[in-house]
Amino acid sequence: MWRVTPSARPPRADLVLPCLDEAEALPWVLARVPSGWRAIVVDNGSADGSADVARSLGATVVHEPRRGFGAACHAGLLAARAEFVCFCDCDASMDPGLLAPMAERVAAGEADLLLGRRRPQGRGVWPAHARAGNIAVARMLRRRTGLRLHDLGPMRVARRDALLGLELTDRRSGYPLQMVVRAADAGWRVAETDVPYLPRSGKSKVTGTWRGTWHAVRDMRRVLAEPPVARPAPAAGVSA
């Protein structure tokens, strides 16, 4: 079900990996980056040597001193140079190799923004409080935009220039949601595809606790309250 089918001409992409104390997971993650892609590990203040590990494994390392998931993701987006940009967590909970066929679908025009819908592999992979928060946000997103998505997970693909055109401003947990909301407001075709969700390495900084989940949902509620702003639709086939 999760087999990756290689393409004769896969699209060139940069992979943004926000990182906070993920030295243990980095070897597994970076070993699965699609061939020819550039891995951009955005170190968000790690104290476990994550940046050195990433650099030793051939990744481009960007330092983002401002704490926050959105701050790390956006720093990676700004550092990207490929036409397509992919995002994935750096905790070994998702296989970056699955992004190659996702990027092909975006390049083929099936979607402007393609998200990975997490499918937990085993008990306890996705804590009940985190799953409940995700369901609540998905429902609020549907009311706000009409999009019938099931997951606002971090694995996603889009064109770099189009993402920059969204002028994303959230630098905390609301960043992934703001990307989807502004894409919907701009008339993007937003879709999702199933991806396996594996036991992560270490404890989640966001959804590992009720408190972290609550802060994330609060950030997302703020994003959903933003008024729509007219932005141009993505232009297919335009390289950076």
Side-chain angles (χ1 to χ4, degrees):
M1 180 178 180
W2 311 113
R3 183 170 61 89
V4 176
T5 303
S7 169
R9 295 177 60 84
R12 176 176 170 239
D14 284 340
L15 172 57
V16 175
L17 297 161
C19 176
L20 178 58
D21 294 330
E22 303 291 4
E24 180 182 345
L26 276 166
W28 187 92
V29 172
L30 293 175
R32 284 158 177 76
V33 175
S35 177
W37 287 22
R38 183 170 65 128
I40 303 174
V41 174
V42 184
D43 186 71
N44 203 207
S46 298
D48 67 347
S50 289
D52 292 334
V53 172
R55 196 175 291 109
S56 72
L57 293 171
T60 297
V61 175
V62 173
H63 293 277
E64 174 50 62
R66 181 178 176 182
R67 284 292 183 95
F69 182 77
C73 286
H74 203 71
L77 174 60
L78 293 176
R81 292 295 178 266
E83 178 179 357
F84 298 94
V85 177
C86 304
F87 297 85
C88 184
D89 273 354
C90 202
D91 58 10
S93 63
M94 287 172 284
D95 185 347
L98 296 172
L99 283 161
M102 289 175 63
E104 291 174 12
R105 291 177 60 181
V106 174
E110 292 185 30
D112 300 310
L113 175 61
L114 184 58
L115 313 177
R117 179 185 180 184
R118 291 169 288 185
R119 294 293 197 174
Q121 307 297 292
R123 293 174 59 86
V125 173
W126 201 349
H129 60 271
R131 191 178 302 198
N134 188 72
I135 291 172
V137 171
R139 288 174 177 169
M140 290 187 287
L141 174 70
R142 186 176 303 177
R143 289 195 295 269
R144 167 65 172 75
T145 66
L147 291 176
R148 302 182 66 84
L149 300 177
H150 300 85
D151 186 16
L152 277 298
M155 182 176 274
R156 52 192 59 199
V157 186
R159 282 182 164 82
R160 175 181 178 271
D161 285 354
L163 286 173
L164 291 173
L166 293 179
E167 300 178 333
L168 302 175
T169 57
D170 192 281
R171 295 296 181 264
R172 291 164 52 93
S173 301
Y175 187 88
L177 178 61
Q178 188 180 57
M179 183 185 295
V180 175
V181 169
R182 293 195 175 184
D185 288 347
W188 290 27
R189 295 161 300 169
V190 182
E192 61 183 11
T193 187
D194 289 350
V195 296
Y197 193 38
L198 310 172
R200 61 157 290 139
S201 173
K203 187 175 182 179
S204 172
K205 288 79 175 176
V206 177
T207 59
T209 65
W210 281 99
R211 180 182 178 86
T213 300
W214 163 245
H215 283 303
V217 171
R218 184 184 61 184
D219 289 344
M220 293 177 184
R221 287 176 67 93
R222 184 176 61 249
V223 168
L224 290 167
E226 294 178 354
V229 177
R231 290 182 175 85
V238 178
S239 300

